[in-house]
Each structure stands twice: as C-alpha cells, then as structure tokens.
C-alpha cells in the first residue's frame, strides 16, 4: 500500500489494482497535463494536474462505495473508472477539445482503446476487468453514475480542487455531508432529504466557478488562441489530430513552435502573455438566435472580410449553452424520489441563472481591436452601446 499526500483530501491510499493503474505510463502522462489548461494565465496557482484530480476522484469514490455498501466487484469497477475517467484527455485538458473535435469526433470520456493497450491493458486483464465495463462506468451507466452523473465524485473533487489552487472561494462545498447523505434507491444514486442543502451548495459553487474560473474571459481567449494554432498545424499537415491528442502540455508547445508560422506565433503569444483582447463580448440576449447555429470559422471570415484583415487575426468564441441537467438529480423524500429542482427552489433559480453567465466573444490583437469591434458590430447587427459597455474592465486582464 502507498499513501499519497494530497493537499485537498489529506492522505489518499492506493493499493492493489488502484496502485498498479496509477503507476502505468497512461496514468503518469496525466502528471504533465494541467487540470485547468491555461487558467494559470489568470490564476498563477492553477498549475494542478489531471493526475492529482484523478487521485482525488478515486479517493471520494472509495469512501462513497464503502458508505453505499457495494460489493467488492462493483467497488473495483467504480474505483478503476474514477481513477481512469480522464485518461483520454488531450494536452491542456478541455482547452484543446474544440480544436480536435472536428478531426477526431470523439470525446475525452471515450477511452476504450486506451484501456485495451499497453501496460494499462495488461493490468486490467491481470485483475479480470473488462475495458468495456470500465468504459460503461465512465459513461455513467449502472453504478458508474457515482463517477459520471449530475452529482458525482468527479464534480465534487474538481470544484474543491480548482477553488483551492485558484484561491477562489466559490468551490467550497460540504463534501463530507454530501457523501454521507448519498444513497442507492432502486438502483439509482440519490441524495437523502438531509443532504439536499449540501447538493444545492455544490450546484451554487459550480454556477459561481464558471464565470470566475472556467469561463473567465482570459481563459476563453487563450483557449481560442491555442485552438486556432492547433487547427492550423493540423490543416497544414504538420501533425495529425490523433498525434496531438496523445501529447502532453510540454509536447504540444514544442510541436507548435517547431511548426513555425501561425502556430508558433500563437504559442509564443501565450508563453509571453501577449494575448488577444475582447473586441465583442456580449450575453445571449444581445445575439440573433440563428448565430448559435453558425460555425465560428464562418463568422470570423465574415468579420475579417468586413474589416479587410487576415482571418487569423480574428477569433470567434461561440461556446455551447450551459448544461442544466443537475436539476434532474433525484432527491429521496420519504419513499419516493423527486428531481432536485422540485425539492430545492434554489436549483430552478440556478438553472435560469446559468444562461446569464454565457458570453459570445470576438477577440483580436490589441492594435486591431477597435477596427474589429466596428466590423463585428456591422456583421452581427449589434448596437454600439451593447459592445462598448464590455470595455469597462478590459484593462484588467486578471480580474
């Protein structure tokens, strides 16, 4: 048995299957992939990795399966799934997903091929675990809802961990209360009535962490920049999307620099923090609904043509609408379950509030920002006042 000192959970115990999985090259690669991608450009302490988050998710899964009284086979599967749920992440975690998605058509949760091969495949085979079973648990099927569901150990850990390393206090949740009040009702994970407040606090934390950390404008700008560099590198045939996804953070920046030209420029700008600026940054109500269905590349090309600029100087950020599925999580009231939103009035309010945190952005180098803003207003049919108010804090790239 090995005990790993974790700054969030204290000592995380690894033994048997868990220890063997953690020591495989596939898992050790996660030591070199930042949990929050490029968020350290905003919060310098945000240098924690997917590896430590995976250990944290495993630690919480270990205690929750014990509390739920699962049999040994299910505990092994849940533990393996919690430990391996992020093994398919590309470099910089979510920051590169949008760049790779058009070429690979797979998500980071789809890890079946990784589970079958190499040292990791040998470990799982030696313990009699099927990659298909672990994959199904990672996708939240059966007892896998402990790992991947509306309220799961993955989310519990990353909220606490991300808050710890960024210094943002919004991610503090009562995880001990929540774990103690989780139950299985007719095979479905649910929260008992006494844990509704703890579950609601998790959803509040997630709502507050989104604009403060995950969707902070500097994070979005830097992610758009790195994605643009990666796409150009792939389109120019310098590297394949499959190879990029297998890289860690260090390897990615090396590849971008070797590629030269536009990819190298994006990497250099990020390294030296010479980031693009917000030319347009507006909420959902300020946009034509049809724009949600138009690709970012087409919008950028139209703005570039209007401004008479190289399309590479204009980045469009049109993120997906917020997911509000957490309100469906079952709360056990008496002998029946009800959606959490029906038990806690705050949850339904939170679901509406999530849409208010969404932002559409057009980004450009500082010296081109004003011209791009004018062109974007014309192309997107935005009122001048709608765009101007977003400049009020543009001088402050950190907060």
């Amino acid at each position: 048995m090995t005990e790993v000192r974790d700054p969030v959970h204290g000592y995380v115990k690894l033994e048997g299957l868990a220890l063997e999985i953690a020591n495989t090259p596939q898992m050790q690669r996660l030591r070199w992939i930042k949990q929050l991608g490029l968020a350290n450009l905003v919060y310098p302490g945000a240098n924690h990795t997917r590896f430590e988050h995976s250990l944290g998710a495993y630690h919480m899964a270990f205690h929750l399966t014990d509390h739920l009284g699962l049999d040994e086979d299910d505990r092994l599967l849940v533990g393996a799934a919690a430990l391996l749920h992020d093994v398919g992440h590309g470099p910089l975690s979510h920051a590169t997903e949008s760049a790779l998605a058009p070429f690979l058509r797979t998500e980071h949760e789809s890890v079946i091929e990784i589970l079958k091969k190499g040292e990791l495949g040998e470990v799982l085979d030696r313990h009699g675990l099927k990659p298909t079973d672990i994959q199904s648990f990672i996708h939240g099927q059966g007892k896998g809802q402990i790992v991947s569901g509306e309220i799961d150990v993955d989310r519990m850990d990353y909220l606490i961990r991300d808050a710890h390393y960024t210094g943002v206090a919004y991610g503090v949740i009562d995880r001990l209360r929540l774990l103690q009040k989780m139950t299985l009702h007719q095979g479905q994970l649910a929260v008992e009535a006494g844990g509704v407040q703890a579950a609601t606090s998790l959803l509040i934390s997630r709502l507050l962490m989104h604009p403060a950390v995950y969707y902070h404008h500097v994070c979005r700008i830097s992610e758009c920049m790195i994605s643009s560099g990666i796409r150009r590198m792939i389109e120019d045939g310098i590297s394949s999307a499959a190879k990029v996804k297998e890289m860690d953070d260090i390897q990615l920046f090396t590849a971008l620099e070797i590629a030269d030209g536009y990819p190298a420029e994006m990497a250099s700008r990020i390294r030296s923090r010479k980031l693009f600026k917000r030319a347009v940054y507006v909420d959902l109500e300020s946009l034509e609904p049809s724009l949600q269905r138009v690709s970012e590349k087409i919008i950028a090309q139209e703005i570039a043509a209007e401004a008479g600029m190289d399309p590479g100087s204009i980045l469009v950020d049109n993120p997906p609408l917020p997911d509000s599925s957490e309100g469906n999580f079952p709360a056990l009231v008496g002998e029946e379950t009800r959606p959490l939103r029906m038990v806690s009035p705050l949850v339904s309010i939170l679901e509406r509030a999530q849409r208010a945190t969404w932002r559409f952005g057009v980004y450009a180098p500082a010296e081109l920002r004003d011209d791009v803003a004018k062109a974007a207003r014309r192309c997107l049919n935005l009122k001048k006042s709608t765009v101007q108010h977003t400049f009020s804090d543009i001088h402050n790239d950190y907060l």
Side-chain angles (χ1 to χ4, degrees), residues 165-181:
Y165 281 102
T166 58
V168 174
Y170 306 135
V172 178
I173 63 174
D174 190 353
R175 65 184 184 276
L176 298 180
R177 177 73 173 179
L178 189 54
L179 288 174
Q180 284 297 314
K181 292 300 177 180

Side-chain angles (χ1 to χ4, degrees), residues 17 38 77 97 111 181 185 206 219 226 249 358 360:
L17 172 64
L38 296 164
L77 271 174
E97 283 187 337
V111 298
K181 292 300 177 180
H185 180 72
R206 185 168 181 262
C219 294
I226 201 78
D249 297 357
W358 186 92
F360 172 92

Side-chain angles (χ1 to χ4, degrees), residues 10-70:
Y11 286 104
V12 176
K13 294 180 180 180
L14 297 174
E15 58 183 331
L17 172 64
L19 182 57
E20 290 185 47
I21 289 175
N23 285 332
T24 62
Q26 292 91 335
M27 277 296 297
Q28 290 296 313
R29 169 181 167 272
L30 299 183
R31 287 184 182 273
W32 313 107
I33 296 179
K34 287 189 176 70
Q35 170 82 4
L36 290 180
L38 296 164
N40 64 342
L41 294 172
V42 188
Y43 300 104
N47 292 304
H48 53 304
T49 68
R50 285 283 154 183
F51 182 77
E52 57 194 278
H53 162 59
S54 298
L55 293 184
Y58 167 79
H59 175 77
M60 299 191 79
F62 178 86
H63 287 286
L64 183 52
T65 55
D66 184 51
H67 168 70
L68 295 173
L70 299 191

Side-chain angles (χ1 to χ4, degrees), residues 82-383:
L83 203 49
L84 291 164
H85 77 282
D86 276 345
V87 75
H89 260 297
L92 296 173
S93 297
H94 294 291
T96 58
E97 283 187 337
S98 62
L100 299 175
F103 304 97
L104 294 178
R105 307 293 181 186
T106 59
E107 300 176 340
H108 73 266
E109 293 92 347
S110 298
V111 298
I112 188 71
E113 294 305 317
I114 299 174
L115 301 178
K116 291 179 178 178
K117 298 176 182 177
E119 190 175 321
L120 178 56
E122 293 172 5
V123 168
L124 298 179
D125 184 61
R126 190 160 57 246
H127 285 268
L129 295 182
K130 297 179 180 178
T132 51
D133 291 340
I134 296 175
Q135 177 69 89
S136 69
F137 270 42
I138 290 174
H139 281 157
Q141 297 172 17
K143 302 292 194 313
Q145 57 197 293
I146 293 170
V147 178
S148 181
E150 289 90 358
I151 295 179
D152 53 40
V153 295
D154 172 30
R155 195 160 294 177
M156 289 182 211
D157 181 81
Y158 79 63
L159 284 171
I160 303 166
R161 190 170 302 277
D162 295 347
H164 175 84
Y165 281 102
T166 58
V168 174
Y170 306 135
V172 178
I173 63 174
D174 190 353
R175 65 184 184 276
L176 298 180
R177 177 73 173 179
L178 189 54
L179 288 174
Q180 284 297 314
K181 292 300 177 180
M182 299 291 268
T183 186
L184 282 172
H185 180 72
Q186 298 179 352
Q188 186 178 34
L189 191 66
V191 61
E192 297 173 358
V196 166
Q197 285 185 327
T200 302
S201 76
L202 182 145
L203 304 189
I204 293 172
S205 295
R206 185 168 181 262
L207 171 70
L208 295 175
M209 287 288 282
H210 263 261
V213 178
Y214 308 130
Y215 275 67
H216 187 286
H217 69 273
V218 173
C219 294
R220 297 303 301 174
I221 291 170
S222 57
E223 287 180 15
C224 285
M225 291 173 67
I226 201 78
S227 294
S228 184
I230 291 170
R231 281 194 296 269
R232 183 71 67 87
M233 185 169 65
I234 294 171
E235 290 166 355
D236 291 348
I238 298 169
S239 183
S240 69
K243 287 183 179 178
V244 172
K245 189 170 183 180
E246 292 175 353
M247 295 176 183
D248 60 32
D249 297 357
I250 299 170
Q251 292 167 334
L252 173 62
F253 273 94
T254 301
L256 289 168
E257 289 164 354
I258 292 173
D260 209 9
Y262 185 81
E265 179 191 349
M266 291 299 103
S268 177
R269 277 180 168 273
I270 290 170
R271 279 189 179 278
S272 58
R273 211 177 183 282
K274 300 291 190 291
L275 305 178
F276 282 30
K277 304 294 182 183
R278 291 177 289 181
V280 168
Y281 201 60
V282 295
D283 61 21
L284 197 59
E285 305 304 320
S286 302
L287 289 177
E288 292 290 335
S290 59
L291 276 175
Q292 277 291 308
R293 299 187 293 273
V294 182
S295 77
E296 295 168 335
K297 184 176 181 179
I298 290 174
I299 297 173
Q301 288 173 342
E302 291 183 358
I303 296 173
E306 179 70 24
M309 297 177 185
D310 180 352
S313 297
I314 298 171
L315 300 177
V316 173
D317 185 20
N318 194 8
L321 293 176
D323 174 29
S324 58
S325 60
E326 294 97 335
N328 296 323
F329 191 77
L332 184 61
V333 181
E335 295 299 319
E336 63 177 10
T337 58
R338 299 176 188 173
L340 190 58
R341 69 170 64 87
M342 292 180 63
V343 178
S344 172
L346 271 176
V347 174
S348 58
I349 296 172
L350 290 173
E351 290 179 330
R352 294 194 297 273
Q354 280 185 324
R355 293 175 66 86
T357 67
W358 186 92
R359 292 293 182 272
F360 172 92
V362 178
Y363 314 130
E367 66 274 13
L368 302 177
R369 185 181 67 202
D370 291 342
D371 290 338
V372 170
K374 293 174 185 176
R377 283 200 297 270
R378 293 191 293 268
C379 287
L380 303 175
N381 195 28
L382 295 173
K383 295 179 181 179

